Amino acid sequence: MSLICFLGCGLIRRQVHFQRQCLFRFYSSASSALMLEDHVFDESPKSHFVINRPAPHVPATRSELFPLVSRVFKSLSWSVARKKKFGNWVECHGFSHSISCFRIIVHAFALAGMRLEVWALLRDIVGFCNEAKYDTFELFSAFLDSPQHVERSGVVFDVLISVFASNSMLENALDVFSNAKHVGLEPDIRTCNFLLKCLVEANRVEFVRRVFEELKDRGPSPNIYTYTIMMNFYCSDVGCDAGMRQAAVILGKIYRSGEKPTVVTYSTYIHGLCKVGNVEAALMLIRNLHYTNQPLNSHSFNDVIYGFCKRGEVFEALQVLEEMKSSGILPDVYSDSILINAFCRKGDVMKCLD
């Protein structure tokens, strides 16, 4: 079942046609203002922007917006844009004119590849809408570009997904994700990974699975970081054998996809094996990885050492410690702490002091 389908019922509310009409009217007026021959501007934040020929028949509240749009378009000066808080402009000019103005500025920075500036502007807008109880689900429609400019809108919607996800507004992020794909935009895989990570951390199990299936079926194609996030998701359920079976499936998908597992991927899987008590399998995997010169770290060995100590098999844990040293990985403070605690519980104080 497509993510677009299951989010479409009740969650996604679009008024794209109405917003396009409003934005097109404002965009046309703003574009006319940009074409005035007598614009004078200076990038210095202290300078004044002067229009020698004011456009006739433009309401005062809207005419004040044109210099800001023009200046940002011509200078791409963040020092100018960052002083304009969205909430202040809404108080002076109303929400409709302000969102139209900021929409043009956001797209201008996006076209220039200035993602941090796009992030800051969208965070300001989202924060205001959230506090003022505006319908944040309508922001996608508000920022939806005209059909001939759909391709240029990708960065904006990537950042909007990230802003929503980082503010724990996961339903909004999913709404933008599905709507962007609906109009032919493919989010960047890094943005999708961030959304997936936030869903995992929030334990939104059903959404995690649906988004991952959407990526596999319709793109963008998962990369090693996507698979590692899913590995962590399935290994996080303590004592769940079903989760570990799914984690094994993920490992198989990684190999078949041609992606190269990272040290984090392997250590996550080893940690999961030890949590469900399959310490021998974890140790066997470590030995195979060492034999094939695959990445290993102290976390993987520590998990196995802890697994043996938890079962009271302290001397087996000591053997793993020796294997750790022979593999060229130095024990850390956690390695020593695990063993000291284990020997103290057994009452072997002298061994603790060795």
Side-chain angles (χ1 to χ4, degrees):
M1 180 179 179
S2 171
L3 180 64
I4 296 172
C5 294
F6 84 84
L7 283 178
C9 299
L11 179 62
I12 304 172
R13 292 167 289 163
R14 300 190 302 270
Q15 298 176 352
V16 176
H17 180 68
F18 173 76
Q19 291 288 348
R20 282 183 180 173
Q21 289 180 329
C22 295
L23 296 180
F24 178 76
R25 287 196 295 268
F26 180 80
Y27 190 87
S28 299
S29 301
S31 299
S32 300
L34 289 173
M35 295 174 64
L36 293 176
E37 297 177 358
D38 297 328
H39 281 177
V40 178
F41 81 101
D42 186 341
E43 277 197 24
S44 171
K46 297 181 180 179
S47 65
H48 296 284
F49 184 67
V50 179
I51 299 179
N52 293 330
R53 284 194 302 156
H57 309 301
V58 178
T61 56
R62 296 177 66 182
S63 64
E64 295 174 11
L65 294 172
F66 294 153
L68 172 64
V69 177
S70 302
R71 190 170 185 183
V72 172
F73 252 63
K74 298 184 74 173
S75 68
L76 287 177
S77 174
W78 175 238
S79 62
V80 173
R82 69 189 176 97
K83 293 182 179 180
K84 312 302 180 184
K85 296 299 181 182
F86 183 71
N88 295 337
W89 281 84
V90 171
E91 290 180 5
C92 296
H93 309 291
F95 183 82
S96 179
H97 294 326
S98 299
I99 196 67
S100 298
C101 175
F102 271 70
R103 164 188 173 273
I104 298 172
I105 296 173
V106 165
H107 280 289
F109 282 122
L111 281 170
M114 302 168 70
R115 293 182 70 101
L116 290 178
E117 288 76 5
V118 173
W119 169 278
L121 287 169
L122 289 179
R123 183 181 59 183
D124 183 28
I125 295 170
V126 168
F128 170 82
C129 291
N130 203 24
E131 291 181 7
K133 308 300 181 184
Y134 276 85
D135 189 353
T136 49
F137 284 99
E138 296 301 332
L139 286 180
F140 178 88
S141 299
F143 281 95
L144 184 64
D145 222 338
S146 56
Q148 61 266 33
H149 296 141
V150 164
E151 182 179 355
R152 61 189 267 188
S153 304
V155 171
V156 175
F157 299 126
D158 271 342
V159 176
L160 188 55
I161 291 171
S162 299
V163 169
F164 277 138
S166 64
N167 284 278
S168 301
M169 302 170 67
L170 298 177
E171 287 82 1
N172 297 85
L174 288 166
D175 183 59
V176 178
F177 172 78
S178 61
N179 273 287
K181 294 172 76 70
H182 182 72
V183 298
L185 294 169
E186 184 172 278
D188 187 85
I189 187 58
R190 292 173 297 180
T191 301
C192 298
N193 287 342
F194 181 70
L195 173 59
L196 198 61
K197 177 177 177 291
C198 291
L199 290 169
V200 169
E201 291 174 349
N203 199 31
R204 305 297 293 271
V205 176
E206 190 62 26
F207 285 133
V208 170
R209 294 194 177 108
R210 300 266 181 138
V211 170
F212 182 59
E213 291 301 318
E214 182 78 11
L215 296 178
K216 288 195 304 177
D217 295 342
R218 296 176 178 81
S221 299
N223 59 18
I224 187 57
Y225 301 105
T226 317
Y227 289 121
T228 301
I229 292 168
M230 293 304 297
M231 180 76 75
N232 181 63
F233 170 66
Y234 286 118
C235 291
S236 62
D237 193 357
V238 179
C240 181
D241 292 330
M244 287 311 302
R245 286 193 293 270
Q246 289 297 323
V249 170
I250 292 295
L251 193 59
K253 289 182 184 294
I254 294 173
Y255 291 138
R256 289 192 296 273
S257 69
E259 295 282 353
K260 188 175 181 181
T262 67
V263 64
V264 177
T265 311
Y266 283 127
S267 63
T268 301
Y269 185 61
I270 290 169
H271 180 67
L273 288 173
C274 292
K275 282 203 303 183
V276 296
N278 205 345
V279 185
E280 289 79 8
L283 180 57
M284 185 179 298
L285 177 58
I286 285 178
R287 289 168 176 169
N288 288 337
L289 292 174
H290 175 64
Y291 180 76
T292 55
N293 294 318
Q294 297 300 310
L296 282 169
N297 59 19
S298 60
H299 299 295
S300 299
F301 282 97
N302 287 343
D303 281 327
V304 175
I305 292 171
Y306 178 77
F308 279 121
C309 288
K310 189 176 179 181
R311 296 192 324 203
E313 300 173 358
V314 182
F315 291 100
E316 286 80 356
L318 278 174
Q319 292 178 350
V320 175
L321 183 69
E322 293 304 316
E323 288 191 40
M324 181 179 183
K325 295 176 182 177
S326 64
S327 299
I329 299 175
L330 294 176
D332 55 24
V333 64
Y334 299 105
S335 313
D336 296 332
S337 297
I338 293 167
L339 287 167
I340 290 173
N341 289 335
F343 280 112
C344 286
R345 285 198 302 270
K346 291 177 69 71
D348 197 343
V349 180
M350 294 305 297
K351 192 66 178 178
C352 293
L353 299 175
D354 289 345

